[in-house]
Amino acid sequence: MNLKGIVPRTWRRLKRVLLVLIVAQFVYIVILKWVNPPITLTMISSWFSLWGTDKKFHKTWVSYDEISQHAKLAVIASEDQLFPDHDGFDYKSIEKAMKHNQSSKKIRGASTISQQVAKNVFLWQGRSWIRKGLEVYFTFMIEKIWGKQRILEMYLNVAQTGDGIFGVEAASREYYGKSAAMLNREEAAMIAACLPNPVKYTVNPPARITAWRQRKILVQMRNLAPDLDIMELVTGRK
């Protein structure tokens, strides 16, 4: 066996595979600027977790214009108030979270909406340096290629909003029997309130912590956009 010949051939093949993967993921990112992802790893995991139970998997995609302005504002107020202004990362929050996590057993996150979308659409759940590094890469790419409106639309459709429930449309139908376009301020805030832990922070009936978070979110919604001009808030357009 000629090891001197095998090693270079293996390296050349590995480089070709890596090149194909790099090109493929870039093309996939570009495609998703206009095409909706059929499913995510988180959804698949949730679907398997419901296997053998009486619970059903719910997922319905709706376009940006078919989502209540209240819902868009509520998730920004709840999850990422600097979303219109940052480049995908909230560096001050990241620094605060790192300092907190060094001295506390309770881990605090600092993920922006963009980072959550990158994780939910392209990656898996969990805490590892490899996954976090990939999350940084995909966050940078979607900020550059998709833009804020598409990122927010994607978030409102892929975020888990209950046990086996994904997206604001599925949540609105399940909890309130109406489309996401018809959500009022209080309903939108209640759905947004469940996002940190959608299985534990139940919406219907509302857990105590969900109701508490809803009240806080409603205050922040009024502070952020009292006139509900969400397009100006997200894109800077007037």
Side-chain angles (χ1 to χ4, degrees):
M1 182 179 294
N2 187 359
L3 291 178
K4 290 184 179 180
I6 292 175
V7 172
R9 285 199 302 271
T10 302
W11 176 240
R12 285 195 297 270
R13 289 172 183 172
L14 180 60
K15 286 194 294 185
R16 282 197 293 268
V17 170
L18 289 174
L19 180 60
V20 169
L21 290 175
I22 291 170
V23 173
Q25 59 80 26
F26 177 77
V27 170
Y28 187 54
I29 294 172
V30 174
I31 289 173
L32 290 188
K33 181 176 175 66
W34 298 281
V35 179
N36 304 325
I39 200 165
T40 67
L41 290 176
T42 304
M43 292 178 186
I44 293 172
S45 175
S46 177
W47 185 82
F48 275 111
S49 72
L50 298 177
W51 190 270
T53 71
D54 58 353
K55 295 180 179 179
K56 295 182 179 180
F57 181 85
H58 300 276
K59 176 182 77 73
T60 304
W61 189 282
V62 287
S63 69
Y64 186 86
D65 294 333
E66 295 175 292
I67 301 172
S68 162
Q69 298 285 74
H70 298 295
K72 298 166 189 173
L73 180 58
V75 297
I76 292 175
S78 170
E79 297 296 296
D80 184 5
Q81 294 185 16
L82 296 179
F83 176 71
D85 303 313
H86 63 58
D87 60 357
F89 307 95
D90 183 350
Y91 299 103
K92 289 185 178 180
S93 293
I94 292 172
E95 184 179 355
K96 289 179 181 179
M98 290 178 65
K99 289 181 179 179
H100 174 271
N101 296 339
Q102 288 174 354
S103 58
S104 175
K105 293 182 179 180
K106 188 175 181 181
I107 302 299
R108 177 187 296 176
S111 293
T112 62
I113 284 176
S114 302
Q115 288 176 272
Q116 291 181 54
V117 168
K119 176 183 67 177
N120 290 335
V121 174
F122 300 102
L123 303 170
W124 61 94
Q125 303 297 317
R127 293 182 179 276
S128 70
W129 287 110
I130 294 176
R131 201 227 67 192
K132 203 65 182 176
L134 291 171
E135 180 186 303
V136 170
Y137 167 77
F138 282 112
T139 299
F140 174 83
M141 294 298 286
I142 64 175
E143 279 278 340
K144 296 298 182 183
I145 296 174
W146 292 0
K148 295 292 186 180
Q149 182 171 314
R150 179 58 171 168
I151 291 172
L152 185 58
E153 177 187 12
M154 192 75 74
Y155 180 76
L156 287 162
N157 279 285
V158 302
Q160 187 170 3
T161 49
D163 196 5
I165 303 172
F166 287 83
V168 67
E169 175 72 11
S172 184
R173 296 286 183 183
E174 178 71 14
Y175 301 136
Y176 301 114
K178 62 172 72 173
S179 69
M182 302 302 294
L183 286 171
N184 63 33
R185 182 179 287 263
E186 288 72 24
E187 292 163 346
M190 183 64 80
I191 292 174
C194 83
L195 291 172
N197 192 334
V199 176
K200 181 179 178 181
Y201 297 1
T202 56
V203 173
N204 189 16
R208 182 178 298 179
I209 189 171
T210 318
W212 176 77
R213 281 181 50 80
Q214 181 208 32
R215 291 192 293 271
K216 290 187 64 178
I217 292 168
L218 286 169
V219 172
Q220 294 302 320
M221 288 170 70
R222 287 191 290 270
N223 292 339
L224 280 175
D227 57 355
L228 203 64
D229 192 346
I230 194 68
M231 279 305 297
E232 180 180 344
L233 181 64
V234 173
T235 66
R237 298 207 309 265
K238 296 188 178 182

